[in-house]
Amino acid sequence: ALGLEGGGKELFEREAGGVLAGAMGTKGEWRRDSKDLQVFDTLLRSGGEAVVPFLDLCMPAFSIVADTNRDADVRSSLLVLLDFLLAESGVQHHMDRFGASLLADVIVPVCVWRAGKVASALRKAGVSCMKHLMAQRLVKATDVMKSLGEGFAAGPLDPVIKSCMDDDDADIRFIACGAAREMFAIVAEMLDTEQVRHFYLEVLKRLDDSNDTIRCEVASAAKAFMASVPIGYDPSQYEYLLRNLVVHLDDQNDLVQQAVLPAVLAAAPVNPALFTTVVKDCKGKHRSGKLCQEALDHVAKLQQGSNEVLE
């Protein structure tokens, strides 16, 4: 880097293009011990922001991830590298133009459930990529909705996120719940009523997980999800959803109680009157009514504010 004003960054920008192009030229032959794969991985990991000009050149390599005929170790290496790039501060915000294609052509296909330890390891890396992609808002809401589908016509993302939330591997379930939280935040108020019904059932199922860490994580997803439950939503379904949230305010684990409370509060605007009735009923059945009372105080303030606006 001596003699270059930009130092190592300038040197990388001058020299890396040819090296990466050479490595990409052999991508169809990459194996676990391929020198070009190692060079590709090392340069993208070490270049920092200097790799940005070469992203268009390098992105096609990640299509290997979705090819089940390719070496599993190569697919795994590329997934871990992609996860790194999506979390790398100097690179991640330049990845948005690839967001839709990465979700549809790389991440969702590898997250489809398949039997075996190798498939499980790939799925775990894939759902981690999904979480980072969505957490950094590198995919547009319209593209997420396109992948989710609509109503009874589910798109490819819909069954994948649900199956990952229900995976046998606890790590996959935990990461998938975080990915769901970010997904719900991206598509807030965009889900149709059929999607709302299906997803609240998935959320409630995970709140009964045997792992309390997962229960706390999905509680945060439940809070984000409530933005998609329309005001005046079907009363019977709303009551079922609310009661199955409020029951966890009396959980034996205080951490679960505190994690679920924001989701309960987020449910209040949907139907304040029914919310009040349900929470009062549940309060009388709980060992401690403290959190239910917090919820009742919250909805009372909402109703007071609404009345003041009307006046």
Side-chain angles (χ1 to χ4, degrees), residues 49-106:
E49 194 172 356
V51 308
V52 171
F54 307 109
L55 290 176
D56 285 296
L57 168 66
C58 296
M59 280 301 113
F62 293 101
S63 63
I64 293 171
V65 166
D67 187 350
T68 56
N69 294 317
R70 293 298 299 269
D71 185 286
D73 288 325
V74 173
R75 297 170 68 205
S76 178
S77 295
L78 288 169
L79 265 177
V80 173
L81 175 59
L82 178 60
D83 199 35
F84 170 83
L85 293 174
L86 292 171
E88 174 67 18
S89 60
V91 179
Q92 59 187 196
H93 296 300
H94 298 276
M95 299 279 283
D96 55 350
R97 66 184 186 275
F98 309 108
S101 60
L102 284 174
L103 180 66
D105 302 329
V106 177

Side-chain angles (χ1 to χ4, degrees), residues 18-43 78:
V19 179
L20 286 169
M24 285 291 293
T26 67
K27 71 180 189 300
E29 304 163 11
W30 284 353
R31 297 291 182 270
R32 176 175 56 182
D33 57 352
S34 295
K35 176 183 176 182
D36 283 340
L37 173 59
Q38 295 169 4
V39 168
F40 181 82
D41 186 282
T42 300
L43 286 177
L78 288 169

Side-chain angles (χ1 to χ4, degrees), residues 194-212:
E194 192 63 24
Q195 289 170 324
V196 168
R197 186 175 71 86
H198 285 171
F199 275 117
Y200 86 64
L201 292 173
E202 294 299 324
V203 167
L204 294 180
K205 184 192 297 184
R206 282 285 64 77
L207 280 171
D208 288 328
D209 199 281
S210 59
N211 186 314
D212 283 354

Side-chain angles (χ1 to χ4, degrees), residues 237-307:
Q237 294 199 49
Y238 173 71
E239 181 174 351
Y240 180 83
L241 167 60
L242 181 59
R243 286 187 180 276
N244 282 276
L245 287 174
V246 175
V247 69
H248 297 290
L249 296 183
D250 195 39
D251 196 84
Q252 293 183 348
N253 188 331
D254 290 346
L255 293 177
V256 172
Q257 294 180 23
Q258 293 299 326
V260 171
L261 180 60
V264 172
L265 301 184
V270 175
N271 189 330
L274 184 53
F275 181 93
T276 302
T277 300
V278 169
V279 175
K280 281 183 177 179
D281 180 56
C282 293
K283 179 184 176 183
K285 302 172 183 177
H286 287 190
R287 292 166 299 168
S288 169
K290 179 182 176 182
L291 295 184
C292 283
Q293 189 57 52
E294 282 191 39
L296 291 170
D297 292 343
H298 175 76
V299 74
K301 289 180 181 178
L302 286 180
Q303 291 175 307
Q304 181 181 358
S306 178
N307 291 334

Side-chain angles (χ1 to χ4, degrees), residues 143-166:
D143 292 320
V144 176
M145 288 303 301
K146 180 180 178 181
S147 191
L148 279 175
E150 56 181 285
F152 293 101
L157 175 58
D158 183 285
V160 162
I161 189 73
K162 291 173 182 175
S163 67
C164 286
M165 290 174 70
D166 198 34

